[in-house]
Amino acid sequence: MGAFVRILASVKTALEMRTLVNSEPQVEASVAAPTLIEPSAAQIQVPIARVTHRAELLSSFARELEAIGGVFAGSVSPGELPTRSVAIADQLGALIIAVGEGVTHDLLPIANLLEQHHRDLILFGAAGDDEARRAALARIARADLGIVEAHCAIAASGTVAVVASPARPNALTLMPPAVLVIVPADRIFPDLASAIEQLGPDLIAGRRTVFITGPSRTADIEKRIVIGVHGPRNLHVLALWPTDV
Amino acid sequence: MAVSSSNPGFFAAIETSIADTELRRKLANASGHHLESAASTRAEFPRYDEEREAARSLKTAAIGRLDELLIELRTRLEGNGCHVFFADDAAAARRYIVDLARVRKLKRAVKGKSMTTEEIELNPALEKAGVEVVETDLGEYIVQLRHEPPSHILTPAIHLSKEDVGQLFHDRFGTAYTNEPERLTAVARDNLRAAFLSADLGITGVNFAIAETGTLVLVENEGNGRFSSTLPDTLVAVMGIEKVIARLSDLSHFLEVLARAGTGQKITTYTNFITRPRSHDELDGPREIHVVILDNGRSRILADPVLREALNCLRCGACLNVCPVYRSIGGHAYGYPYQGPIGSIISPALFGKAAGHLPFASTLCGACREICPVKIDIPKLLLHLRWKENQNNLQWPRGAAKARRGAARFGRMANHPRTIRALSRIAVLIMRPFAHEGYVKWMPGPFRNWTLTRDFPVPKAPLKHRSADQPQSN
Ligand code: SF4
């Protein structure tokens, strides 16, 4: 507690020192003196480019996703979702598959079809005691593929925003080597600012949230890009095109 | 160049680095292609300059009411169920974290990349207390295995070649030697996955702390920060007081410029929002979150109205990448965890007088100011610090005094065109026999020093003659 008060006091005193007490010669490199008091945050606005066409947003999203090493697996109607998901699981050779709960759509039909195809399924209920929790995590660690629905996506950067829930753990898009993210086409927003605004503080701060842009990567050895360090090396995205449009 | 005599070790380090041509090759290799791709990412984004301006104003506004924001942040964090500890200095921060590990009987820590924990020298303290600490960012992992400090705030192992890493892994793990980054990364991935699964303590940095919601934002590409803040039961996040921003809606303006400047990506692979410990119904996430908020000299920076701007820094690493000094001497020569132009500005405040010479290690070329995503006027701040350092009894070291006398002599000579013309003719005549493909790599006797650290281009004609061919400007 003491340190908090002390630090606040020194910050306060520091902030009050708006003018220099000693006389410093004007240095030549200073092009313009910085203004020390800036306009309040509320006055600063950057215009947000709003593109209204859903198809345009979707194609921009797909292009950006592919540019950073993700795979855009096309757009499907809700009815086609299970078959397409199983096809992607086959393509990836995934045998153990973890499915998180949906957001706007029920993902259980995917789970059911996977089961019919004799895949090893991991579903999530309530966490239970600590031992059950650890066991569930250990199972995700062995999964070949995680399937989740994103809350929204960002067209300008190919980003998906995934908000965790008890039946959609954060580890689901982190531990398996491959992830399939389902994005409703009407939840693709033009840019970061509009996506953050749409999600809002309650959602983002309510549960663990992550913005995922492409597969996990590093450039730590001679700046050469290597895909799949700690997180998934395969990131597939399926867009869900609602049947009512 | 005026240099405070306080640090003879710095000169030795610079000389060693410059003589290391292999190091310079690696640095050039790693930054050349990368700079181009970063520049094109920015060029493709029409709003880049607007976003930079917005980021700069928002950050300046936040620093301008840092006291209020820190109160709000603390209230929110505690309301969310996080523990908050304010640390005056590095020792206080270390003590808190070490005590926590002791009380909770934590034995195995995994760390996401965090320069602030380098700043407080956390690892040795934890190890002394019997906690095994594993760095999990690939670059950090590599330098940890080599018992070295990081040489770049963003790419800690930039001073190493893929062959160096291959040899290191071969020696340490007995895996077959390879210099392929893909295979080396796979080895590290397996080792570190095991560490993540068995760790009971996660330690990360913080890129932004949102006062409005009490949310910690952590950006990264690998997923090590995500793992460190998801699997272990206890999370310690260490941040400087300057990391606080006012609102969630401010965040996009920072994210739009941070990765574009630093790595040339539009946005990093993962942007993690960490707000609260896991609730009873959740499977993962830490059960306990401790946020350590560190002053350690930052309020001193704040108290200097000129220097204050340095607190806007997002630690994107761009100013290091473009700095001609950094690119010739590498990160280790600086001797502090924050290297390059921004390091030279903040290190004296964070680490005290011993770092007072760093502001002189710059050519003031201004490349850093051009690239900085929050438009920090780095050259101006460096000059300001030089001025301050000169106020405190400055002595010229021998070499610098000699150079000053030489420059003064040249100045007098330059006033006599005939003398200088004659001398430059003689110089060319002397140099010619030693030239090879237009460069002189070595000269004997008294001229040796000129070619010690660089190749000297042979002028085609004496200096003054060339300028006589060109149209007169006055
Ligand atoms: S000073 Fe600017 S360019 Fe340098 S690391 Fe900080 S934000 Fe990046």
Side-chain angles (χ1 to χ4, degrees):
Chain A
M1 202 55 42
F4 177 59
V5 175
R6 269 199 306 282
I7 291 172
L8 269 193
S10 43
V11 165
K12 259 209 166 84
T13 333
L15 284 172
E16 276 150 19
M17 291 189 54
R18 302 246 186 241
T19 46
L20 267 182
V21 271
N22 39 14
S23 57
E24 175 185 5
Q26 260 309 300
V27 285
E28 78 249 41
S30 68
V31 185
T35 34
L36 293 173
I37 306 155
E38 294 284 334
S40 87
Q43 290 167 278
I44 300 155
Q45 277 196 355
V46 171
I48 293 162
R50 294 210 183 271
V51 189
T52 41
H53 296 296
R54 199 178 287 176
E56 228 170 277
L57 289 175
L58 179 60
S59 76
S60 155
F61 170 80
R63 191 177 56 240
E64 294 298 330
L65 174 71
E66 300 255 338
I68 40 153
V71 176
F72 183 67
S75 46
V76 293
S77 70
E80 297 164 315
L81 186 59
T83 29
R84 282 299 287 276
S85 305
V86 172
I88 292 168
D90 280 347
Q91 187 193 325
L92 288 164
L95 299 176
I96 309 174
I97 299 160
V99 184
E101 73 175 344
V103 181
T104 59
H105 289 76
D106 189 4
L107 301 191
L108 269 181
I110 303 181
N112 291 338
L113 194 64
L114 283 166
E115 200 146 47
Q116 282 172 32
H117 282 71
H118 309 292
R119 295 293 186 277
D120 216 340
L121 260 191
I122 305 171
L123 295 171
F124 305 95
D129 62 3
D130 217 41
E131 206 163 308
R133 202 184 63 79
R134 273 174 202 290
L137 276 177
R139 285 166 65 211
I140 306 178
R142 282 198 314 273
D144 303 315
L145 173 67
I147 301 182
V148 287
E149 182 181 347
H151 269 68
C152 73
I154 300 170
S157 53
T159 303
V160 293
V162 180
V163 182
S165 79
R168 196 188 313 113
N170 185 27
L172 195 53
T173 52
L174 179 61
M175 291 213 270
V179 173
L180 169 61
V181 181
I182 292 151
V183 178
D186 55 355
R187 301 285 304 163
I188 301 177
F189 301 112
D191 54 16
L192 251 174
S194 48
I196 290 177
E197 189 193 320
Q198 287 292 329
L199 290 174
D202 290 346
L203 198 59
I204 288 183
R207 295 277 188 187
R208 180 69 182 249
T209 299
V210 61
F211 289 2
I212 303 173
T213 310
S216 151
R217 64 179 225 166
T218 185
D220 272 351
I221 301 177
E222 288 200 6
K223 283 263 162 84
R224 286 251 301 262
I225 292 169
V226 177
I227 297 297
V229 196
H230 299 302
R233 93 186 72 230
N234 286 303
L235 177 74
H236 288 239
V237 178
L238 253 182
L240 207 50
W241 199 264
T243 36
D244 59 327
V245 270
Chain B
M1 184 185 284
V3 174
S4 121
S5 59
S6 61
N7 203 310
F10 184 52
F11 288 108
I14 287 182
E15 272 174 24
T16 321
S17 300
I18 290 186
D20 188 347
T21 46
E22 182 60 15
L23 172 70
R24 274 189 289 166
R25 187 193 67 77
K26 289 172 202 166
L27 288 170
N29 192 10
S31 40
H33 145 82
H34 160 75
L35 288 178
E36 284 163 34
S37 80
S40 72
T41 316
R42 290 191 294 273
E44 282 164 16
F45 183 54
R47 287 199 339 258
Y48 187 63
D49 271 327
E50 276 172 71
E51 292 287 10
R52 269 176 96 189
E53 207 48 70
R56 178 189 167 83
S57 320
L58 287 168
K59 193 76 193 189
T60 311
I63 298 293
R65 53 190 199 96
L66 192 54
D67 47 350
E68 293 162 40
L69 291 181
L70 284 174
I71 297 174
E72 188 181 349
L73 178 68
R74 179 180 159 215
T75 313
R76 289 284 171 223
L77 283 170
E78 289 180 343
N80 295 338
C82 302
H83 303 266
V84 182
F85 179 74
F86 277 84
D88 293 299
D89 54 20
R94 274 196 308 262
R95 215 175 311 122
Y96 178 81
I97 302 168
V98 168
D99 284 349
L100 178 74
R102 256 200 210 111
V103 172
R104 298 280 191 278
K105 301 195 169 45
L106 307 174
K107 287 286 161 227
R108 295 176 57 91
V110 280
K111 265 182 79 194
K113 192 155 80 62
S114 147
M115 283 302 114
T116 317
T117 56
E118 296 283 346
E119 175 188 331
I120 64 171
E121 299 179 68
L122 182 59
N123 291 13
L126 278 174
E127 278 156 9
K128 231 179 91 193
V131 182
E132 184 195 341
V133 186
V134 182
E135 295 285 353
T136 61
D137 170 85
L138 179 58
E140 289 277 352
Y141 180 59
I142 292 168
V143 295
Q144 188 188 35
L145 287 173
R146 286 172 58 101
H147 307 290
E148 263 179 351
S151 69
H152 187 291
I153 56 173
L154 207 67
T155 37
I158 198 165
H159 58 292
L160 299 173
S161 66
K162 51 191 195 299
E163 287 75 20
D164 294 336
V165 180
Q167 195 58 46
L168 172 73
F169 281 18
H170 173 67
D171 294 346
R172 291 299 297 264
F173 308 128
T175 48
Y177 172 84
T178 171
N179 64 0
E180 286 169 38
E182 287 75 15
R183 287 172 55 197
L184 293 168
T185 304
V187 172
R189 176 189 165 106
D190 289 347
N191 289 355
L192 292 170
R193 181 60 70 98
F196 284 130
L197 290 171
S198 63
D200 45 21
L201 170 63
I203 302 169
T204 67
V206 174
N207 293 93
F208 305 96
I210 304 170
E212 176 191 25
T213 55
T215 299
L216 308 176
V217 181
L218 189 59
V219 306
E220 52 150 350
N221 283 323
E222 297 182 0
N224 62 77
R226 247 188 114 182
F227 262 108
S228 304
S229 61
T230 299
L231 292 187
D233 263 344
T234 305
L235 169 66
V236 172
V238 186
M239 60 178 270
I241 52 173
E242 84 284 13
K243 292 287 178 222
V244 57
I245 63 172
R247 287 193 274 194
L248 176 65
S249 59
D250 298 345
L251 182 69
S252 70
H253 304 301
F254 296 110
L255 295 181
E256 292 285 17
V257 295
L258 176 58
R260 282 188 169 92
T263 58
Q265 294 167 277
K266 294 198 168 93
I267 179 173
T268 53
T269 304
Y270 299 118
T271 304
N272 300 288
F273 297 81
I274 305 164
T275 310
R276 56 188 82 240
R278 75 162 181 261
S279 55
H280 62 92
D281 58 354
E282 283 173 316
L283 261 185
D284 55 17
R287 200 172 51 201
E288 252 181 57
I289 300 179
H290 296 257
V291 185
V292 177
I293 303 178
L294 180 72
D295 181 344
N296 202 32
R298 287 163 176 81
S299 55
R300 270 203 296 280
I301 299 180
L302 189 67
D304 181 331
V306 177
L307 211 54
R308 182 174 301 170
E309 200 184 342
L311 295 177
N312 286 1
C313 174
L314 308 179
R315 305 277 188 271
C316 75
C319 57
L320 281 65
N321 298 338
V322 298
C323 176
V325 176
Y326 177 89
R327 291 173 72 171
S328 357
I329 68 174
H332 286 152
Y334 289 85
Y336 292 92
Y338 303 108
Q339 313 86 4
I342 189 64
S344 297
I345 290 171
I346 60 175
S347 297
L350 305 188
F351 305 103
K353 279 195 87 56
H357 59 285
L358 285 177
F360 296 93
S362 162
T363 64
L364 302 177
C365 72
C368 45
R369 179 178 53 204
E370 291 306 306
I371 196 110
C372 177
V374 283
K375 297 188 165 181
I376 299 176
D377 193 343
I378 296 173
K380 190 184 81 178
L381 302 192
L382 287 167
L383 280 172
H384 173 70
L385 282 170
R386 287 184 187 182
W387 172 77
K388 277 176 87 168
E389 179 74 8
N390 284 356
Q391 302 288 88
N392 317 329
N393 62 344
L394 173 97
Q395 297 162 20
W396 299 100
R398 238 185 93 240
K402 227 165 111 186
R404 270 170 70 88
R405 282 197 301 276
R409 231 177 291 144
F410 182 81
R412 282 196 298 277
M413 199 172 68
N415 286 332
H416 303 281
R418 251 185 230 149
T419 328
I420 205 164
R421 216 173 294 157
L423 282 175
S424 48
R425 265 203 204 106
I426 297 170
V428 173
L429 289 178
I430 298 176
M431 283 166 80
R432 280 259 165 83
F434 300 100
H436 180 69
E437 289 171 359
Y439 285 91
V440 177
K441 293 199 159 55
W442 177 86
M443 297 239 296
F447 307 107
R448 235 191 83 225
N449 279 348
W450 284 29
T451 52
L452 207 57
T453 55
R454 59 173 181 169
D455 301 338
F456 212 95
V458 182
K460 289 196 182 59
L463 228 54
K464 266 291 174 179
H465 289 189
R466 265 192 302 168
S467 62
D469 295 342
Q470 280 150 19
Q472 293 289 310
S473 57
N474 52 349

